[in-house]
Amino acid sequence: MKLKLDLHPLYNKGGEIDKALRGIIDEAIRKKATEVEIIPGKGSGQLKKKVLRFLEQKEIKALYHRIDKDAKISSLSSTG
């Protein structure tokens, strides 16, 4: 199962971005999703950097085993 999170509507709402990211991680764990696709959108790349910083947090990093990055998306693969 693959889950998708499109952050376009939240691009300038820092607290909501963190809540959405944590929410999709929690949902992936609950549903035993094998992949999560996070779409930060176009622009200066600041949102993508924010997403990557979120994913590098020790407690979050323990929840997945791989990040594949491209210009538009980040995909996570679950640990379980």
Side-chain angles (χ1 to χ4, degrees):
M1 170 188 288
K2 179 178 178 178
L3 299 177
K4 185 187 277 188
L5 174 63
D6 185 350
L7 294 174
H8 286 104
L10 303 176
Y11 73 94
N12 63 349
K13 301 174 182 168
E16 289 185 37
I17 292 167
D18 288 345
K19 284 168 75 173
L21 289 167
R22 186 60 211 212
I24 198 75
I25 297 291
D26 290 343
E27 182 181 356
I29 291 167
R30 263 191 333 273
K31 293 183 175 180
K32 298 181 183 346
T34 57
E35 186 176 352
V36 175
E37 180 179 9
I38 301 169
I39 304 170
K42 299 178 182 177
S44 66
Q46 293 305 307
L47 185 51
K48 182 176 180 178
K49 289 176 189 172
K50 181 172 181 53
V51 168
L52 292 174
R53 281 192 304 270
F54 175 86
L55 296 173
E56 286 297 318
Q57 295 177 74
K58 186 178 180 179
E59 67 275 9
I60 300 299
K61 199 171 188 173
L63 301 174
Y64 65 89
H65 74 273
R66 191 179 87 222
I67 299 179
D68 295 326
K69 299 174 256 187
D70 73 17
K72 296 177 185 170
I73 62 170
S74 295
S75 293
L76 306 176
S77 296
S78 70
T79 56

